[in-house]
């Protein structure tokens, strides 16, 4: 695919938004980097990777289109998180990324899920690849449902690069949470880039720029995957203050009746976790932490829907 220096190699990027959200949160709260993925840094990395793989000058490798697909809560459910949504949308606009949103739906076991996002992404990607003549289409995704899209793109002469991460960590319940890209998807694309390995290798200048500098945050809005009763059941609310903050993504609220209350970063409703500080006034509801109660032989609680009211 070598081109004359005057030619442009046309790149289109398509984000599975929830997948990217999980990756960004992993590096912010679970990984030693303690920072979110920089979208501008990722785009520079993609251009450099395309240039290297296709043996072209990086100046020829141009991102001409980028799209971000994600499920979205209703305005009623978002409440004060609307501001956080807008902040992230501003970041996407600065990078010339077009946002596509579908409403989140209740799926099996009354869990909020994204329905139809992968189909919508696939249809848009295929149509735009034909209309805009992408040489390379970059998928930031990991779902095997995109395999048919990759096969169709290859038939129209568009090569596909997959940007993916494999990682695991322990969640607030101590359970192992894994995110792995589909093996079949990796085998179908022309170029599969294992970002978790490249980040650990830190092997070039573009890899080093993949993270947001300290205190400049991509405030990725939270997608709440709690069960239906968490969203609809009336729970008693309490008011107190933050007792401690751990940079690994959790903290405690002062609560003398319950020996202080644990909370996880995913439970904060109207503020980015790194902006929380000792002594901030919050309101919250509680639920029993069954795993810790069984382990300790006494009732243990955790906070849900933690809202800063300072």
């Amino acid at each position: 695919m070598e081109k004359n220096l005057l030619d442009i190699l046309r790149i289109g990027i398509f984000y599975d938004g929830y997948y990217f959200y999980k990756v960004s949160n992993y590096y912010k709260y679970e990984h030693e980097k303690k920072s979110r993925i920089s979208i501008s840094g990722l785009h520079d990395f993609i251009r450099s990777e395309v240039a290297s793989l296709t043996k072209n000058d990086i100046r020829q490798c141009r991102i001409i289109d980028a799209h971000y697909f994600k499920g979205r809560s209703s305005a009623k459910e978002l409440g004060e998180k609307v501001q956080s949504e807008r902040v992230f949308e501003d970041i996407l606009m600065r990078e010339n990324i077009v946002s596509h949103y579908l409403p989140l739906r209740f799926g099996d076991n009354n869990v909020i899920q994204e329905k139809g996002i992968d189909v919508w992404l696939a249809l848009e990607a295929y149509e735009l690849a034909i209309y805009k003549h992408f040489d390379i289409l970059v998928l930031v995704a990991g779902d095997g449902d995109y395999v048919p899209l990759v096969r169709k793109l290859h038939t129209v002469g568009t090569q596909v690069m997959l940007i993916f991460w494999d990682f695991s960590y322990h969640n607030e319940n101590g359970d192992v949470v894994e995110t792995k890209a589909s093996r079949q998807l990796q085998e179908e694309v022309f170029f599969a880039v294992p970002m978790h390995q490249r980040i650990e290798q830190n092997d070039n200048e573009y890899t080093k720029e993949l993270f947001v500098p300290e205190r400049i945050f991509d405030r990725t809005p939270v997608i709440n995957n709690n069960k239906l009763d968490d969203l609809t059941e009336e729970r008693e609310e309490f008011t107190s203050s933050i007792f401690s903050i751990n940079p690994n993504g959790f903290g405690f609220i002062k609560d003398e009746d319950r020996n202080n209350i644990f909370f996880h970063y995913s439970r904060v409703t109207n503020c980015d976790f790194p902006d929380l500080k000792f002594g901030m006034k919050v309101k919250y509801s509680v639920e029993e932490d069954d795993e810790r109660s069984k382990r300790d032989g006494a009732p243990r609680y955790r906070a849900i829907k933690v809202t800063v009211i300072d």
Side-chain angles (χ1 to χ4, degrees):
M1 193 185 289
E2 286 190 63
K3 290 178 174 278
N4 184 286
L5 191 58
L6 295 177
D7 294 335
I8 293 177
L9 197 151
R10 301 164 66 85
I11 303 171
I13 303 178
F14 290 79
Y15 286 86
D16 181 323
Y18 184 51
Y19 178 78
F20 185 72
Y21 156 80
K22 290 192 296 183
V23 170
S24 184
N25 268 357
Y26 167 71
Y27 281 100
K28 177 60 190 172
Y29 298 118
E30 311 295 346
H31 193 271
E32 62 183 12
K33 292 286 187 182
K34 294 295 180 286
S35 182
R36 293 198 183 280
I37 299 291
S38 163
I39 292 178
S40 61
L42 180 59
H43 284 192
D44 287 342
F45 173 86
I46 287 171
R47 291 179 61 230
S48 72
E49 200 69 8
V50 170
S52 174
L53 290 169
T54 61
K55 296 180 172 56
N56 283 281
D57 191 289
I58 192 170
R59 292 172 295 175
Q60 297 173 262
C61 303
R62 303 289 181 85
I63 297 171
I64 62 168
D65 217 7
H67 296 260
Y68 183 90
F69 294 79
K70 187 178 74 65
R72 189 175 195 173
S73 301
S74 68
K76 181 179 179 181
E77 291 165 353
L78 276 172
E80 292 174 306
K81 287 192 292 183
V82 170
Q83 181 179 0
S84 180
E85 289 271 9
R86 286 296 301 274
V87 169
F88 187 64
E89 287 171 5
D90 289 346
I91 293 168
L92 295 178
M93 286 190 292
R94 285 201 302 271
E95 299 302 325
N96 296 316
I97 299 175
V98 179
S99 300
H100 304 261
Y101 295 107
L102 278 181
L104 293 172
R105 306 290 188 186
F106 288 104
D108 298 334
N109 300 319
N110 288 329
V111 175
I112 291 182
Q113 297 175 346
E114 293 186 331
K115 292 289 187 179
I117 292 292
D118 52 351
V119 175
W120 192 14
L121 187 156
L123 290 172
E124 289 287 328
Y126 183 68
E127 181 180 10
L128 289 171
I130 296 174
Y131 175 66
K132 297 194 173 183
H133 306 290
F134 298 141
D135 296 298
I136 302 286
L137 187 143
V138 179
L139 271 179
V140 183
D143 198 326
D145 288 346
Y146 294 117
V147 167
L149 166 64
V150 173
R151 291 173 177 170
K152 292 293 288 185
L153 288 170
H154 289 167
T155 66
V156 297
T158 297
Q159 297 185 4
V160 180
M161 170 182 284
L162 178 67
I163 298 291
F164 75 96
W165 284 262
D166 287 345
F167 57 84
S168 64
Y169 62 92
H170 290 84
N171 66 9
E172 58 180 316
N173 296 323
D175 301 322
V176 175
V177 177
E178 285 190 328
T179 293
K180 288 187 178 295
S182 161
R183 182 63 57 185
Q184 186 180 9
L185 182 60
Q186 294 178 47
E187 293 172 351
E188 288 287 343
V189 301
F190 273 101
F191 313 115
V193 185
M195 296 299 296
H196 53 289
Q197 295 179 8
R198 297 297 298 275
I199 287 170
E200 297 306 318
Q201 293 167 1
N202 199 26
D203 55 1
N204 64 42
E205 60 180 305
Y206 297 101
T207 308
K208 296 174 183 177
E209 300 298 323
L210 277 171
F211 293 92
V212 178
E214 186 177 1
R215 297 306 305 168
I216 302 175
F217 298 107
D218 274 343
R219 285 177 169 80
T220 307
V222 172
I223 294 178
N224 193 333
N225 281 319
N226 300 329
K227 292 185 178 179
L228 177 62
D229 59 2
D230 277 351
L231 294 173
T232 60
E233 181 183 345
E234 291 294 331
R235 293 177 181 268
E236 183 179 0
E237 284 192 328
F238 304 92
T239 300
S240 186
S241 59
I242 293 178
F243 179 75
S244 68
I245 295 290
N246 188 297
N248 289 329
F250 65 89
F252 289 87
I253 298 169
K254 186 176 182 180
D255 189 319
E256 295 179 358
D257 293 336
R258 300 174 185 80
N259 193 29
N260 296 330
I261 293 290
F262 170 89
F263 71 94
H264 192 251
Y265 69 84
S266 61
R267 300 293 186 161
V268 181
T269 68
N270 67 336
C271 181
D272 197 50
F273 183 82
D275 290 339
L276 297 178
K277 294 180 175 58
F278 171 80
M280 272 187 171
K281 195 173 182 180
V282 294
K283 63 180 180 181
Y284 60 97
S285 301
V286 301
E287 66 180 7
E288 185 170 357
D289 186 335
D290 295 333
E291 293 296 327
R292 288 188 174 89
S293 294
K294 289 178 183 178
R295 185 181 64 218
D296 298 345
R300 293 289 181 264
Y301 299 90
R302 60 188 173 194
I304 60 174
K305 297 182 182 177
V306 179
T307 303
V308 176
I309 57 177
D310 231 359

